[in-house]
Amino acid sequence: MKEINIAFITERMIKGHGVDLVVDRLADGLARKGYHTKVYCNYFDETFTNRKSYGIEKLHYFKPAANPIIYEQRIRRLVPYLNSKQVDLFIIQSFPFYSLIPKLNAPVLAVDHGVVSVTDMPFKRKLKFKYMYHSQNISYFKKAEGLITVSKYLLGCLPLSLRKKASFIYNGANHYKMRDVSDPEVADFRESMGVSADDILLLYVGRLNLTNQPYKGLAELVSIYQDIYQKHANIKLLAVGFSSKNDEEYLKNQGILAIGNAPEEQMPLLYSSCDIYATASKWEGFDLPIAEAQGFGKPTISYNIGAHPEISRNEHTGYIVDDYQEFKEKLEILLINPDLREKMGREAKAYAKEFTWENSVKNYDHQIKKMLSLKDTDIQPKPHINRYRTSKSKDVSVVIVNYNSSYLVLKECLQSLAKQTHKEIEIIIFDNNSSNKEILRDIKVEFPHINIIYSDRNLGLGEGLNRAIDQAASKLILISNFDVVYNIDAVEQMVLLINNLESSYIGVAPKIKFYFQRDFIENVGISIDENFYSGNYGRGQLDLSQYNKQEDIFGTSFVSCMIRKKAFLKNRVGPIDPSFFLFYEDVDFCYRANLHGYRFKSCPQAILYHRYGCSFRDEATAFQRIYYYQKLNIMKTAFKNAEEYNMKRILKNELGIQKQNLRDANLKHIARRIASDFRKSSRHLKRQRHFIQFSRQLFDSDIIK
């Protein structure tokens, strides 16, 4: 058996875009065939991040340029990174990534989804799409080892010289779970939308902006609907798709029902609830929604353009019309003839079986094996691989790294967690080879539900947290010191806030107060200045409710904070740096998160109390240890994360401080150690810096405010 690595390259993976859905189904299907598949894209949302069958990675984001040639030049800077990956075949799906084809060191299969019609577009946008058409057909596609179009229509649009090596593979349309939607469900939905049992509901699925994609014809469909409504008041039009709130409101003001950004699981209900599917699009390379609607047994009506004559059959699965007037005439025939709608719906459902992902994946598999000279026996199918990541049983996983805690301190922390109003909690303690293990044995007797992981050596705080997080069974991680005590609703308050924030917010910071001076604030999140010195919002201030407003913050203290578990994935922020033994592991993590465009918010309604300095109270060398780790890790954080100018400035300052400390008899030993250990770590840091800077989304000036 061979391990074949396939890399899909596409612009984005977000809800509401047809190409993104196609990539998702192909990557999943080929993974089941036995290939190792991964998707590289500029950005993605929650829709595709829970896929277990394939990986997804965000590429370095290059700001699109108005000039497509300049944009391609920027994108080509990805070549060294992509060529460093072990890839046997690249499958490139979209502009501007076709420009990578001549530079990649593995074979490329280009997929042509077509270039849209430029009718009614502004002049500059016309130029952009004209350039896209000519550059890919005259230059890039020639240099690809394989070329696939998604319809016969697009195959016919290729220059004759390309058609010889190209073939077409239809997309599938059976991606929605074809569950039986009950009649009561349909009735309830229609009633909720103000559609009665006697009304005829037209459905349109696509982008809901009437101006940015004029070729989609939504404005014309609205006009047709309004004309027909004058004669048939029982007709309703429902528009569903990717949109902004302004798009939805505009449509509603035109008398159109609108649902923006409908979740995938709602689509079967939407298709089942309509009577006719209608689109006035003036260009389509395939048109997934027509095939989807036919799969649900709905007659369709569309213009005779693009791939429509392939996706539907005129006068059998619905009507394919030539102009505005004929559209109205045929639509009226369907409106007044329920028997015809039912007959065409049956034929539509039967014809939809031509468009399955099983067929698509089978054809791609054949093409890939042909390109890579593979035999069927070279790949071991994995038909039972789970498409989705398994859901977890607990809402919150509390992770605590323990080292020589006292019984009473740890017990008080665990008791406060046991009393929380939020009950779905698991607790994981990672013990860093404590010398007083009998304390944990006693704790386990008193709290039998906790999970204790024992390490045979002290791995430090950063790696200890990573090991505990790896074992967590929840989507939300509560990082906690062992020397804190939580108010009874602290966890509930953090869960409520983070679950109501958009996905770019990955963590929330509670209000941490001093255990022995409970009217004073330790922090409500952390900050960082231009020298990479960390600070604490509210440190030492009397709590007069001045921090009771939820606010955006730089980051969270790992004394206690709640972070989405997915943030620790390599294609997000990544794990906590295991080389940070003590201190600054939270600053480094939060800085990396900011670089990638993620955010944090304070949650002052969640309150806890921290025995500040408890871990070092009995150590004679506490100052030296704290100073050593803080100074060393400031430099490591800056070396990895700061832009080059800031990095050099900070290192010069910090190494200069240690040079001065060599003159101090009390500090010279630790100064030598700081400088030496920093230099020893430079090779490791350089590798990290290369990746971090390559995937940077924000400048330092955007983070340090």
Side-chain angles (χ1 to χ4, degrees):
M1 297 299 169
K2 296 182 180 180
E3 184 174 296
I4 304 299
N5 297 303
I6 295 178
F8 287 83
I9 304 178
T10 190
E11 182 183 5
R12 62 177 181 230
M13 291 290 285
I14 63 176
K15 176 169 59 181
H17 292 77
V19 173
D20 308 3
L21 186 150
V22 169
V23 173
D24 172 61
R25 267 47 184 193
L26 291 176
D28 175 72
L30 290 173
R32 294 173 186 275
K33 286 288 186 181
Y35 298 96
H36 292 261
T37 56
K38 190 168 188 177
V39 177
Y40 294 88
C41 57
N42 276 342
Y43 50 96
F44 52 82
D45 66 11
E46 307 304 303
T47 309
F48 302 106
T49 54
N50 66 339
R51 302 303 195 247
K52 190 175 182 180
S53 53
Y54 66 86
I56 186 167
E57 181 177 321
K58 181 168 62 176
L59 292 168
H60 177 75
Y61 178 74
F62 293 103
K63 185 178 180 180
N67 186 328
I69 298 175
I70 294 175
Y71 191 21
E72 287 181 331
Q73 289 172 347
R74 292 175 182 173
I75 288 296
R76 282 195 284 270
R77 291 167 62 186
L78 292 168
V79 168
Y81 178 74
L82 292 170
N83 280 339
S84 71
K85 302 295 181 181
Q86 291 185 328
V87 174
D88 297 291
L89 177 70
F90 289 99
I91 301 180
I92 301 184
Q93 299 280 337
S94 59
F95 170 88
F97 298 103
Y98 295 132
S99 65
L100 300 175
I101 292 174
K103 304 290 185 180
L104 295 173
N105 58 12
V108 175
L109 175 60
V111 181
D112 181 17
H113 295 273
V115 178
V116 302
S117 168
V118 297
T119 304
D120 296 329
M121 283 189 181
F123 178 70
K124 287 186 177 180
R125 292 196 75 198
K126 284 184 179 180
L127 285 181
K128 174 187 173 182
F129 285 107
K130 287 290 185 183
Y131 171 80
M132 288 167 57
Y133 176 82
H134 289 292
S135 64
Q136 64 192 42
N137 285 318
I138 294 174
S139 178
Y140 303 134
F141 285 169
K142 287 182 179 179
K143 296 168 185 175
E145 283 75 9
L147 177 59
I148 287 173
T149 67
V150 297
S151 64
K152 289 181 185 177
Y153 162 72
L154 289 178
L155 184 64
C157 292
L158 293 174
L160 284 173
S161 58
L162 288 178
R163 291 182 209 172
K164 296 176 183 178
K165 73 171 183 179
S167 58
F168 73 90
I169 298 177
Y170 287 132
N171 295 322
N174 58 331
H175 33 264
Y176 297 126
K177 295 177 181 177
M178 296 295 183
R179 65 180 180 87
D180 292 327
V181 179
S182 67
D183 290 341
E185 283 183 277
V186 169
D188 288 345
F189 172 75
R190 287 171 66 104
E191 183 180 358
S192 71
M193 299 298 294
V195 181
S196 72
D198 295 327
D199 288 336
I200 305 299
L201 181 61
L202 304 184
L203 176 66
Y204 162 82
V205 176
R207 300 181 194 181
L208 303 191
N209 187 285
L210 275 68
T211 56
N212 287 344
Q213 291 87 25
Y215 69 91
K216 284 292 184 181
L218 180 54
E220 186 163 315
L221 182 62
V222 170
S223 177
I224 290 170
Y225 162 74
Q226 290 172 338
D227 284 353
I228 293 284
Y229 183 79
Q230 301 301 318
K231 188 175 180 181
H232 300 276
N234 66 329
I235 187 175
K236 299 286 176 64
L237 172 60
L238 171 61
V240 176
F242 183 77
S243 74
S244 67
K245 283 293 181 185
N246 288 340
D247 296 332
E248 289 182 59
E249 290 304 315
Y250 179 83
L251 287 170
K252 289 175 182 177
N253 289 336
Q254 300 295 311
I256 312 301
L257 305 173
I259 299 177
N261 309 310
E264 181 177 319
E265 57 270 17
Q266 191 182 17
M267 294 307 298
L269 176 60
L270 296 175
Y271 279 119
S272 299
S273 299
C274 78
D275 298 290
I276 302 166
Y277 181 82
T279 174
S281 178
K282 299 300 179 62
W283 184 92
E284 293 293 342
F286 184 76
D287 208 332
L288 270 175
I290 285 182
E292 292 167 356
Q294 291 175 168
F296 285 90
K298 303 300 175 181
T300 63
I301 182 167
S302 61
Y303 279 126
N304 186 14
I305 53 89
H308 284 168
E310 301 171 60
I311 310 306
S312 57
R313 298 177 62 209
N314 188 31
E315 298 187 347
H316 291 275
T317 65
Y319 289 113
I320 301 174
V321 300
D322 291 322
D323 55 43
Y324 187 98
Q325 185 59 36
E326 187 183 5
F327 199 116
K328 290 199 300 181
E329 291 171 0
K330 298 299 186 184
L331 180 56
E332 190 170 6
I333 290 172
L334 285 172
L335 287 175
I336 63 177
N337 196 330
D339 291 338
L340 180 62
R341 292 200 303 271
E342 186 176 346
K343 176 179 177 294
M344 285 184 165
R346 287 196 301 270
E347 290 198 48
K349 192 167 188 175
Y351 188 62
K353 293 177 182 177
E354 299 288 323
F355 307 102
T356 67
W357 287 113
E358 292 76 15
N359 286 339
S360 299
V361 171
K362 179 182 176 182
N363 290 328
Y364 270 88
D365 178 41
H366 175 76
Q367 178 75 16
I368 291 167
K369 286 174 178 171
K370 180 180 176 182
M371 290 178 64
L372 300 182
S373 301
L374 297 172
K375 300 176 183 177
D376 289 340
T377 54
D378 289 336
I379 305 295
Q380 178 64 49
K382 301 175 184 176
H384 303 298
I385 189 171
N386 289 329
R387 173 170 170 74
Y388 298 97
R389 300 186 186 277
T390 54
S391 59
K392 305 300 183 180
S393 59
K394 296 291 184 182
D395 288 341
V396 176
S397 293
V398 182
V399 296
I400 299 171
V401 174
N402 177 67
Y403 182 71
N404 289 342
S405 64
S406 74
Y407 174 78
L408 291 177
V409 169
L410 182 55
K411 177 182 176 181
E412 189 177 17
C413 174
L414 296 176
Q415 283 178 330
S416 71
L417 289 168
K419 294 176 182 177
Q420 290 297 303
T421 54
H422 186 91
K423 297 301 182 184
E424 291 298 311
I425 295 175
E426 70 165 351
I427 300 173
I428 301 169
I429 296 177
F430 184 88
D431 183 66
N432 253 330
N433 198 27
S434 297
S435 58
N436 55 354
K437 289 186 172 57
E438 67 280 357
I439 287 178
L440 287 180
R441 286 196 291 269
D442 293 341
I443 287 290
K444 182 67 174 176
V445 171
E446 190 157 355
F447 301 92
H449 61 284
I450 65 174
N451 177 17
I452 301 178
I453 304 169
Y454 293 95
S455 176
D456 58 3
R457 59 192 178 94
N458 190 344
L459 300 175
L461 183 57
E463 181 60 6
L465 285 171
N466 285 334
R467 298 285 181 95
I469 291 167
D470 284 344
Q471 299 301 313
S474 309
K475 293 181 179 179
L476 297 176
I477 304 295
L478 177 59
I479 294 176
S480 178
N481 271 21
F482 60 77
D483 54 359
V484 298
V485 179
Y486 292 87
N487 271 8
I488 192 169
D489 65 341
V491 175
E492 181 180 4
Q493 293 293 342
M494 285 187 273
V495 170
L496 285 172
L497 175 57
I498 200 167
N499 282 340
N500 282 288
L501 293 173
E502 59 182 85
S503 59
S504 62
Y505 286 92
I506 59 167
V508 297
K511 182 188 287 185
I512 304 174
K513 303 175 78 171
F514 291 107
Y515 183 88
F516 295 104
Q517 292 178 300
R518 296 197 171 201
D519 291 331
F520 289 85
I521 298 170
E522 181 181 323
N523 75 65
V524 195
I526 60 174
S527 61
I528 192 170
D529 68 15
E530 61 183 8
N531 294 313
F532 272 44
Y533 287 4
S534 66
N536 297 270
Y537 296 106
R539 169 64 63 87
Q541 296 181 28
L542 181 65
D543 187 3
L544 299 173
S545 303
Q546 68 271 42
Y547 288 95
N548 278 10
K549 180 182 177 183
Q550 295 168 357
E551 297 179 293
D552 282 4
I553 54 177
F554 162 76
T556 59
S557 166
F558 281 4
V559 169
S560 179
C561 63
M562 185 168 286
I563 297 178
R564 302 183 199 270
K565 187 182 180 184
K566 63 190 176 187
F568 299 101
L569 297 173
K570 289 183 179 179
N571 62 1
R572 296 298 183 90
V573 182
I576 300 162
D577 191 327
S579 72
F580 282 57
F581 193 88
L582 276 177
F583 297 110
Y584 259 73
E585 72 291 327
D586 46 7
V587 178
D588 173 70
F589 178 86
C590 293
Y591 206 96
R592 281 189 284 130
N594 277 273
L595 282 177
H596 288 85
Y598 297 115
R599 295 183 285 176
F600 300 89
K601 191 174 280 288
S602 65
C603 182
Q605 292 74 30
I607 299 172
L608 61 135
Y609 303 92
H610 179 214
R611 296 173 185 263
Y612 184 76
C614 177
S615 301
F616 296 95
R617 188 160 293 163
D618 299 325
E619 289 191 28
T621 59
F623 170 78
Q624 288 89 342
R625 288 190 71 201
I626 294 171
Y627 184 81
Y628 165 77
Y629 283 117
Q630 285 188 337
K631 285 298 186 181
L632 174 63
N633 290 340
I634 284 172
M635 290 193 288
K636 289 166 68 174
T637 302
F639 190 96
K640 292 194 309 176
N641 300 312
E643 292 175 74
E644 186 171 4
Y645 169 78
N646 286 328
M647 181 263 288
K648 290 180 177 179
R649 174 180 57 80
I650 292 167
L651 292 185
K652 181 180 179 181
N653 291 344
E654 291 300 317
L655 290 172
I657 291 171
Q658 300 315 316
K659 187 175 181 179
Q660 284 186 323
N661 286 343
L662 292 173
R663 303 172 187 171
D664 188 319
N666 295 317
L667 292 174
K668 64 181 181 180
H669 172 72
I670 198 168
R672 287 196 193 100
R673 187 181 169 202
I674 290 170
S676 173
D677 287 354
F678 173 71
R679 292 188 178 97
K680 288 177 184 176
S681 65
S682 61
R683 180 178 294 182
H684 164 72
L685 294 172
K686 283 179 182 177
R687 287 196 298 268
Q688 287 190 306
R689 176 176 176 80
H690 175 75
F691 176 79
I692 291 169
Q693 297 304 315
F694 191 75
S695 57
R696 173 187 285 275
Q697 305 283 310
L698 296 177
F699 297 112
D700 288 344
S701 58
D702 297 319
I703 299 169
I704 304 169
K705 296 179 179 178

